[in-house]
Amino acid sequence: MSLLADLVNLNLSETTDKIIAEYIWVGGSGMDMRSKARTLPGPVSDPSKLPKWNYDGSSTGQAPGEDSEVILYPQAIFKDPFRRGNNILVMCDAYTPAGEPIPTNKRHAAAKVFSHPDVVAEVPWYGIEQEYTLLQKEVNWPVGWPIGGFPGPQGPYYCGVGADKSFGRDIVDSHYKACLYAGINISGINGEVMPGQWEFQVGPAIGISAADEIWVARYILERITEIAGVVVSFDPKPIPGDWNGAGAHCNYSTKSMREDGGYEIIKKAIDKLGLRHKEHIAAYGEGNERRLTGHHETADINTFLWGVANRGASIRVGRDTEKDGKGYFEDRRPASNMDPYIVTSMIAETTILWNP
């Protein structure tokens, strides 16, 4: 096995200028990630300089067998923490051969929102808190839980330390460092309230880059759990009962909100979000009704309410924001399996472009 490890870790730059580019895209379920690799003649740092590529969309649920070719457009480049050197990860979106975005390409519509002059002028910042659960591969039961049984009740696990409270830290720390290496603006990690559940945060990131970085961070996590023989779940309520669900809270601000007098802009934005609550909930992730129950630090899915420092609200405003009269707010409604392209662009569209 040591020889295999040596070969996996070969430094290509010692013998060739060629690099390996791993093209990544979102599959047909809207949550599964796919990737494949190709050789390029030399290092590339600009996505527009990368070649387009294609794949068999009939094998990913994204095209019929009789017309299966789907085209990948490179959109963002990250350093490859697995192959290292000059090798890269490439986040792509998918199009028909005629250049039309396929139905599961949510990036295309998001890019239109983020390129709107009014949105560009507001420089929207996002900080996304991605929760997830690590599962034992053979039994689909959280790591650290007795097979067929349950651990002690919630309480000691959130940010907990010790072999009886923290499960999977080696995976989490590997992911943290791999994301930093890749150039993702990962800002922290912590153990969550339910044992076996963790969170990483990406941001602050501007506009569509926040969504690109969440998708690539998810990809890196999937690869690391693959190596570890563990399954990562983004289900918003992986275990029924008195256990916390998994969300993807979205912290958000605009230039106007960050400047003096911004608290009034924040309150107007929250009012707009309240008027479109149903539309947002419909786009905030599948199975979210199992998580947004009004319990376990959530607001009921049918109720919109906001408050300062209230983790049982739909929208939470921090104490510092209230005190300073400017800052940001947190949309606590998105589920852990949300599409960040949809959520980030929808928040910008509602708060900046939409006029009720």
Side-chain angles (χ1 to χ4, degrees):
M1 288 302 288
S2 62
L3 177 60
L4 186 59
D6 288 345
L7 289 170
V8 166
N9 293 315
L10 271 177
N11 184 356
L12 297 180
S13 63
E14 292 175 357
T15 57
T16 180
D17 290 332
K18 292 178 180 177
I19 67 155
I20 301 170
E22 189 79 26
Y23 279 43
I24 303 164
W25 70 97
V26 181
S29 73
M31 196 61 209
D32 60 312
M33 303 205 72
R34 309 286 179 130
S35 75
K36 61 177 185 170
R38 67 183 297 165
T39 306
L40 298 175
V44 183
S45 57
D46 180 354
S48 68
K49 301 286 195 294
L50 288 167
K52 292 173 185 172
W53 205 6
N54 63 72
Y55 67 92
D56 171 15
S58 70
S59 296
T60 62
Q62 293 172 297
E66 65 275 9
D67 187 15
S68 65
E69 191 167 286
V70 180
I71 313 299
L72 292 171
Y73 287 31
Q75 299 292 358
I77 292 175
F78 300 85
K79 288 171 67 67
D80 186 337
F82 303 102
R83 296 188 177 104
R84 288 174 253 187
N86 290 320
N87 303 301
I88 54 176
L89 304 176
V90 183
M91 189 65 205
C92 304
D93 59 355
Y95 295 79
T96 67
E100 294 296 317
I102 66 171
T104 51
N105 177 356
K106 306 305 181 187
R107 192 186 192 280
H108 180 78
K112 283 186 175 177
V113 172
F114 285 117
S115 62
H116 190 288
D118 293 352
V119 176
V120 172
E122 282 291 352
V123 197
W125 288 3
Y126 296 89
I128 299 171
E129 305 170 32
Q130 176 68 69
E131 293 178 341
Y132 60 93
T133 309
L134 297 174
L135 305 177
Q136 301 168 60
K137 183 181 170 189
E138 306 303 333
V139 291
N140 261 18
W141 200 238
V143 296
W145 290 38
I147 294 174
F150 295 87
Q154 296 183 153
Y157 310 109
Y158 171 70
C159 299
V161 294
D164 58 341
K165 304 177 199 72
S166 178
F167 312 110
R169 190 185 295 276
D170 53 345
I171 291 169
V172 174
D173 211 40
S174 299
H175 176 250
Y176 194 176
K177 290 178 178 177
C179 285
L180 285 171
Y181 178 93
I184 291 166
N185 193 21
I186 186 169
S187 45
I189 54 105
N190 61 268
E192 268 304 329
V193 177
M194 189 182 86
Q197 189 183 80
W198 292 83
E199 172 184 299
F200 65 88
Q201 302 96 30
V202 166
I206 298 171
I208 205 164
S209 64
D212 287 334
E213 291 185 23
I214 280 286
W215 273 120
V216 176
R218 285 175 174 176
Y219 173 82
I220 291 171
L221 181 58
E222 292 271 17
R223 288 280 304 273
I224 290 171
T225 52
E226 174 190 318
I227 294 164
V230 168
V231 173
V232 59
S233 169
F234 295 103
D235 190 291
K237 186 73 173 179
I239 306 296
D242 195 17
W243 303 99
N244 272 39
H249 302 158
C250 189
N251 299 276
Y252 171 74
S253 70
T254 63
K255 187 170 179 284
S256 300
M257 294 173 191
R258 296 187 293 269
E259 293 174 346
D260 289 343
Y263 194 35
E264 292 306 310
I265 307 293
I266 287 171
K267 287 193 279 190
K268 286 176 185 169
I270 292 171
D271 287 343
K272 284 175 149 189
L273 288 168
L275 292 172
R276 296 189 78 192
H277 177 63
K278 283 186 178 175
E279 292 94 322
H280 278 256
I281 286 293
Y284 273 16
E286 252 182 74
N288 213 7
E289 71 284 349
R290 293 182 282 118
R291 167 181 161 261
L292 297 180
T293 59
H295 304 288
H296 304 109
E297 301 181 83
T298 69
D300 181 84
I301 194 166
N302 296 311
T303 305
F304 182 88
L305 61 107
W306 74 277
V308 176
N310 182 359
R311 282 182 159 76
S314 314
I315 306 286
R316 180 184 69 86
V317 174
R319 289 261 177 236
D320 284 348
T321 295
E322 182 189 43
K323 180 166 68 74
D324 297 342
K326 59 184 176 182
Y328 70 96
F329 64 82
E330 174 192 41
D331 190 338
R332 298 178 60 80
R333 297 171 296 172
S336 50
N337 60 0
M338 62 86 175
D339 187 321
Y341 292 130
I342 294 175
V343 169
T344 56
S345 61
M346 196 171 192
I347 291 172
E349 185 179 27
T350 295
T351 60
I352 301 171
L353 300 180
W354 184 63
N355 289 309

